[in-house]
């Protein structure tokens, strides 16, 4: 990587990147709450409207490695700024789109822009941060998303109530324009080593990285199976005005609190422990949600817990992939971001299937089962456990030699 000493990524520049993830987070969190309005206006079912989330996720996942390869020799500041401008273009296309097909195309364009912005933001932070503060740097960038869930979601939904769902998307477009200008003007000039698409795909040959990327493609799926359809989940217990807004605010508050805790927790303990704890809590929270969703306040409590573990499902996994990537850590981290969106797509798609086939009451139980499966896969395939076991045997042997007479 080529950079000047002055290009160290301090708090101010991390905040600039967090502004961008805030805008992406507003889009990601607001859309589920607007799905009933989107579906009605575009004359599609709720399950079909939910696939707008799937389209965004697939575009991100497919576009991330291709964009990273095509822009490999470019200044990351330019790529990050251009990514946010592309996201802006996608939001404009959605806000003005007269049909579901046009809005869907806008989601794809926005997903490609988000891939260019977010994957590079985390890659730059991973490279420029000290190892003992890397998880905290990731968490600070991710704080934009968590703050979006607390501040941006209520604002976006209120705008949606006043101006319609298209008005909310126009507002997000305006925020994206501000974030693009800020990123282009305030970030340092950073050039990462160029990597060919073949080299990027060669990362998948490394069993440790491949296993972790599979987990990355699964770990967020249980969360998005429920959160993508939070409006209909809340509708089971109440039809009161503001119920969806309250639910998303509570979910976002939990997400924000989790983001404030996950960096220090992961740096102090380890990523596998953090991820295991989060998946375990997610299982029980979904079980509880399945039992209490006929009552509004208990439903809010369960959604708060699910929001709390949300950050613990992403940040530790990103750290695991970065460490396993070694010399190609930035490549591995880029692919991790793509796989995270694959997980989002899996969750939203499975949620749509469950909603269509079995109904809303089965969303939380299905998420609990999926979280249990992901936990089992995570623990059984964890390369850290095999590494630790391999390191332990020589250490034990050395101690035996030391005490031998």
């Amino acid at each position: 990587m080529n950079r000047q000493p002055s290009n160290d990524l301090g708090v101010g520049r991390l905040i600039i990147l967090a502004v961008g993830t805030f805008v992406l987070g507003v889009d990601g969190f607001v859309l589920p709450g607007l799905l009933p309005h989107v579906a009605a206006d575009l004359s599609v079912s709720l399950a079909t409207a939910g696939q707008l989330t799937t389209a965004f996720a697939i575009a991100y996942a497919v576009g991330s490695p291709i964009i990273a390869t095509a822009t490999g020799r470019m200044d990351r500041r330019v790529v990050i700024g251009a990514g946010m401008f592309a996201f802006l273009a996608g939001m404009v296309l959605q806000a003005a789109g007269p049909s579901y097909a046009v809005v869907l195309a806008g989601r794809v364009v926005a997903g490609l822009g988000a891939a260019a912005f977010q994957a590079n933001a985390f890659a730059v932070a991973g490279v420029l941060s000290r190892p003992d503060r890397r998880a905290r740097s990731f968490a600070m960038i991710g704080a934009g998303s968590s703050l979006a869930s607390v501040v941006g979601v209520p604002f976006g939904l209120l705008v949606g109530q006043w101006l319609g769902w298209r008005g909310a998307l126009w507002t997000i477009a305006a925020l994206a324009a501000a974030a693009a200008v800020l990123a282009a003007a305030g970030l340092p000039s950073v050039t990462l080593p160029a990597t060919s698409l073949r080299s990027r795909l060669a990362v998948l040959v490394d069993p440790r990285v491949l296993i972790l990327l599979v987990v990355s493609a699964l770990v967020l799926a249980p969360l998005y199976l429920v959160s993508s359809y939070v409006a209909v989940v809340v509708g089971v217990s109440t039809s009161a005005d503001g119920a969806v807004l309250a639910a998303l605010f509570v979910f976002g508050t939990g997400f924000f609190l989790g983001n404030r805790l996950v960096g220090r927790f992961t740096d102090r303990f380890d990523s596998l422990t953090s991820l295991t704890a989060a998946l375990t809590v997610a299982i029980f929270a979904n079980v509880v949600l399945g039992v209490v969703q006929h009552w509004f306040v208990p439903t809010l409590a369960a959604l708060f817990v699910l929001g709390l573990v949300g950050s613990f499902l992403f940040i530790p996994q990103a750290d695991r992939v970065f460490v396993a990537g070694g010399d190609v850590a930035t490549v591995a981290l880029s692919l991790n971001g793509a796989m995270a969106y694959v997980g989002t797509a899996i969750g939203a798609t499975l949620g749509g299937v469950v909603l269509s086939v079995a109904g809303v009451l089965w969303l939380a139980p299905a998420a609990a089962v999926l979280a249990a499966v992901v936990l089992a896969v995570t623990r059984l395939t964890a390369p850290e456990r095999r590494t630790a076991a391999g390191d332990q045997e020589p250490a034990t042997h050395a101690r035996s030699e030391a005490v031998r007479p």
Side-chain angles (χ1 to χ4, degrees):
M1 180 188 65
N2 302 317
R3 65 185 180 96
Q4 299 300 319
S6 61
N7 287 342
D8 291 335
L9 206 62
V11 173
R13 286 160 173 169
L14 286 171
I15 290 175
I16 290 175
L17 295 175
V19 170
T21 59
F22 171 82
V23 176
L24 300 182
V26 171
D27 174 57
F29 282 113
V30 166
L31 186 62
L34 297 174
L35 281 184
H37 305 286
V38 175
D41 189 31
L42 299 178
S43 300
V44 297
S45 68
L46 273 172
T48 300
Q51 299 317 303
L52 293 172
T53 300
T54 304
F56 183 98
I58 292 174
Y60 187 110
V62 173
S64 182
I66 297 174
I67 292 170
T69 301
T71 62
R73 297 185 182 278
M74 294 177 62
D75 188 336
R76 294 301 94 183
R77 175 177 56 189
V78 174
V79 178
I80 288 172
M84 186 55 68
F85 276 115
F87 175 80
L88 164 62
M91 295 308 302
V92 170
L93 192 59
Q94 293 170 71
S99 66
Y100 179 80
V102 176
V103 174
L104 184 67
R107 291 307 290 168
V108 171
V109 173
L112 293 174
F117 179 91
Q118 192 156 279
N120 281 286
F122 278 96
V124 169
V127 168
L128 298 187
S129 299
R130 299 199 314 265
D132 62 326
R133 294 190 62 86
R134 186 171 52 242
R136 268 173 276 189
S137 294
F138 289 162
M140 182 171 287
I141 296 175
S145 294
S146 61
L147 185 61
S149 63
V150 178
V151 178
V153 168
F155 175 73
L157 290 182
L158 287 174
V159 171
Q161 292 175 6
W162 294 333
L163 302 177
W165 68 273
R166 294 182 187 275
L169 296 189
W170 280 117
T171 302
I172 295 172
L175 293 174
V181 172
L182 188 61
L187 291 178
S189 177
V190 180
T191 304
L192 302 179
T195 308
S196 67
L197 183 59
R198 176 178 296 181
S199 297
R200 290 180 180 276
L201 296 178
V203 172
L204 301 177
V205 178
D206 185 335
R208 283 168 51 89
V209 177
L210 180 59
I211 288 170
L212 289 173
L213 290 176
V214 170
V215 173
S216 296
L218 297 174
V219 72
L220 291 176
L223 182 69
Y224 279 90
L225 195 157
V226 172
S227 65
S228 295
Y229 302 94
V230 67
V232 290
V233 170
V234 173
V236 173
S237 60
T238 180
S239 58
D241 293 340
V244 174
L245 177 62
L248 288 173
F249 178 79
V250 168
F251 178 85
T253 300
F255 196 90
F256 180 77
L257 180 59
N259 183 270
R260 304 309 300 159
L261 298 174
V262 63
R264 294 183 181 276
F265 188 93
T266 302
D267 282 334
R268 181 174 180 179
F269 297 99
D270 65 82
S271 297
L272 182 59
T273 298
S274 299
L275 189 59
T276 298
L279 286 168
T280 302
V281 174
I283 293 170
F284 287 104
N286 277 301
V287 169
V288 171
L289 179 59
V291 173
V292 305
Q293 58 187 313
H294 288 285
W295 298 276
F296 182 58
V297 173
T299 295
L300 292 183
L303 289 174
F304 173 82
V305 175
L306 286 175
L308 184 68
V309 301
S311 293
F312 280 80
L313 294 172
F314 178 74
I315 299 299
Q317 184 61 18
D319 193 57
R320 295 176 76 208
V321 171
F322 188 89
V323 171
D327 293 337
V328 288
T330 57
V331 175
L333 195 61
S334 174
L335 291 173
N336 177 73
M339 291 303 101
Y341 274 92
V342 169
T344 301
I346 291 172
T349 300
L350 289 177
V353 171
V354 172
L355 188 62
S356 297
V357 174
V360 61
L361 295 179
W362 286 96
L363 285 174
V369 172
L370 182 58
V373 171
V374 175
L375 175 59
V377 171
T378 300
R379 296 297 302 180
L380 291 173
T381 62
E384 297 97 326
R385 298 178 65 190
R386 290 191 291 276
T387 300
D391 292 342
Q392 187 175 0
E393 291 182 4
T396 302
H397 177 74
R399 287 194 296 270
S400 299
E401 292 292 333
V403 298
R404 183 176 297 170

